Amino acid sequence: MTMRERIGAFVEAPRIQRFITALIVLNAISLGLETSPEVRARMGDILAVIDWVVLTIFVVEIVMKLFAKRLDFFKSGWNVFDFIVVSIALVPAAGPFYILRALRILRVLRLISVVPQMRRVVQALVTA
């Protein structure tokens, strides 16, 4: 097995995908908490560290997938989606670009593909 294959197998392993899913949920919670001035005043430094660690792990995940899959990485819509959302999160949060960083909450949509119950909920919402 080549290095690319080993890295690809590692990053696609179910336990790693569960870990990434948990980080997506943690990131969504921390982003939600950042919207409260009171919480930000009390826990701003902790939230910033969580944000930095989670974003770093997301970047490492994407780099590993890019290394393993090369251009085939972009054949998966979810990979392209993750790449765009994580890239936007790397934009400095200043001035008009601050709103772009909030778009990383969209990565929660990945849960639709991971959690079957979420698919049913979204399908029910669309049907209604």
Side-chain angles (χ1 to χ4, degrees):
M1 189 182 287
T2 68
M3 175 71 88
R4 284 186 197 283
E5 292 169 335
R6 283 195 303 261
I7 289 175
F10 171 79
V11 78
E12 295 293 338
R15 66 184 163 96
I16 297 301
Q17 289 306 302
R18 284 191 300 272
F19 175 70
I20 294 296
T21 300
L23 286 179
I24 290 170
V25 172
L26 174 66
N27 190 234
I29 291 168
S30 69
L31 287 171
L33 290 172
E34 283 181 16
T35 63
S36 168
E38 297 84 23
V39 173
R40 208 172 338 121
R42 280 186 280 136
M43 299 177 53
D45 292 340
I46 293 169
L47 292 174
V49 169
I50 290 170
D51 183 53
W52 182 84
V53 169
V54 169
L55 185 57
T56 299
I57 293 170
F58 287 164
V59 169
V60 169
E61 175 204 17
I62 287 174
V63 167
M64 290 173 78
K65 283 184 175 183
L66 278 167
F67 175 75
K69 297 178 184 236
R70 300 180 190 170
L71 291 179
D72 284 346
F73 172 88
F74 295 102
K75 289 182 179 177
S76 163
W78 285 114
N79 284 345
V80 172
F81 177 77
D82 288 344
F83 182 85
I84 291 169
V85 171
V86 171
S87 296
I88 288 171
L90 295 172
V91 173
F97 295 113
Y98 186 76
I99 192 68
L100 288 177
R101 286 184 55 84
L103 292 177
R104 60 199 157 140
I105 192 72
L106 293 175
R107 197 151 194 229
V108 169
L109 293 175
R110 183 175 176 185
L111 296 178
I112 294 169
S113 69
V114 177
V115 181
Q117 294 86 347
M118 288 289 292
R119 263 186 255 150
R120 284 188 224 122
V121 170
V122 170
Q123 197 170 24
L125 287 171
V126 170
T127 303

